Amino acid sequence: MSDKAARPPRLTRDRIVAAAVDIAARGRPDGLTGRALGEELGVDRSAVWRHFADKDALLRAVGDRLLALAYEQVPAGLDPKPRLEALARAVVAVYVGHPYVGAAIASRTTRGPGEFAVVDMMLTALAELGLSPGDVARYQRMLAVSVLSYAGVSASYAVLPQKVRDADERSWTREYYAVDAEEYPGIAEYATRVAEVDQDMVLDTMIEAFWTAVDARRQSNTDERNDSHD
């Protein structure tokens, strides 16, 4: 075998980010350390930092790749509403699937092509629904913050030890059922129904509330235009 054939692939930003995404998918808390990446790539840890200014730059690059993965999961040809719903669910799924990075990046802007593609999809879909330019921008930001907040919380929950998550889930049918009805009458009345609400229902309701707000705004704009023509 020649020296050229035995030479390992050249280390690039894309290879480092891909390796970090692979590590993040395994739920390892140290996925963005030079040591973990060096072991994954078979290089000295110092080589990683020749391609990124610092850990924050690496975090943003990996977070941007997660947004690109979510974007790629949205089927082509969907109408605006199902398109945005598919995007929202994909972002949550990808962040939970890479929980340590998802939790760390949810409150940040990644400033890369993955984020640009996601934001562009949101703006374009909302414009197709007939919102005014100002409302397109406002509701895009509302949707982005809502989805990323939910995805970040879900990712943070996913990295908790199983026994902690089990205890939290049991609290809805233990501690909440046992509260003093006179001191907490609302909890006493609705404890059973609150315990029935799962994470999927929360996301469904969040999306439903978003569309209620968007549809109300569209109707208000239509009424205003009709009044101006009278």
Side-chain angles (χ1 to χ4, degrees), residues 71-149:
Y71 176 86
E72 292 165 2
Q73 291 179 20
V74 179
L78 294 178
D79 288 336
K81 284 190 176 183
R83 190 188 320 156
L84 292 184
E85 290 181 14
L87 177 63
R89 297 182 194 284
V91 169
V92 173
V94 169
Y95 275 39
V96 172
H98 306 77
Y100 285 99
V101 175
I105 199 64
S107 62
R108 304 291 305 282
T109 58
T110 64
R111 311 167 215 172
E115 181 176 88
F116 297 156
V118 166
V119 172
D120 187 76
M121 177 180 284
M122 289 179 172
L123 293 170
T124 301
L126 290 170
E128 290 174 16
L129 289 171
L131 291 175
S132 69
D135 285 339
V136 167
R138 188 157 64 100
Y139 283 96
Q140 182 277 323
R141 186 66 64 85
M142 174 187 175
L143 180 60
V145 170
S146 298
V147 171
L148 289 173
S149 297

Side-chain angles (χ1 to χ4, degrees), residues 91-219:
V91 169
V92 173
V94 169
Y95 275 39
V96 172
H98 306 77
Y100 285 99
V101 175
I105 199 64
S107 62
R108 304 291 305 282
T109 58
T110 64
R111 311 167 215 172
E115 181 176 88
F116 297 156
V118 166
V119 172
D120 187 76
M121 177 180 284
M122 289 179 172
L123 293 170
T124 301
L126 290 170
E128 290 174 16
L129 289 171
L131 291 175
S132 69
D135 285 339
V136 167
R138 188 157 64 100
Y139 283 96
Q140 182 277 323
R141 186 66 64 85
M142 174 187 175
L143 180 60
V145 170
S146 298
V147 171
L148 289 173
S149 297
Y150 181 86
V153 168
S154 299
S156 295
Y157 188 71
V159 302
L160 292 174
Q162 187 62 51
K163 64 180 181 180
V164 174
R165 284 184 282 163
D166 290 343
D168 282 353
E169 293 301 322
R170 286 194 300 269
S171 71
W172 299 111
T173 54
R174 289 187 178 181
E175 287 85 352
Y176 273 78
Y177 274 40
V179 299
D180 186 296
E182 293 186 1
E183 187 174 3
Y184 306 105
I187 293 177
E189 181 175 356
Y190 293 100
T192 300
R193 293 188 181 277
V194 168
E196 294 171 350
V197 177
D198 61 22
Q199 292 301 102
D200 289 338
M201 292 173 66
V202 172
L203 181 58
D204 290 344
T205 304
M206 186 185 78
I207 293 172
E208 178 185 331
F210 176 76
W211 290 130
T212 298
V214 168
D215 290 342
R217 187 62 177 167
R218 291 168 62 199
Q219 186 59 50

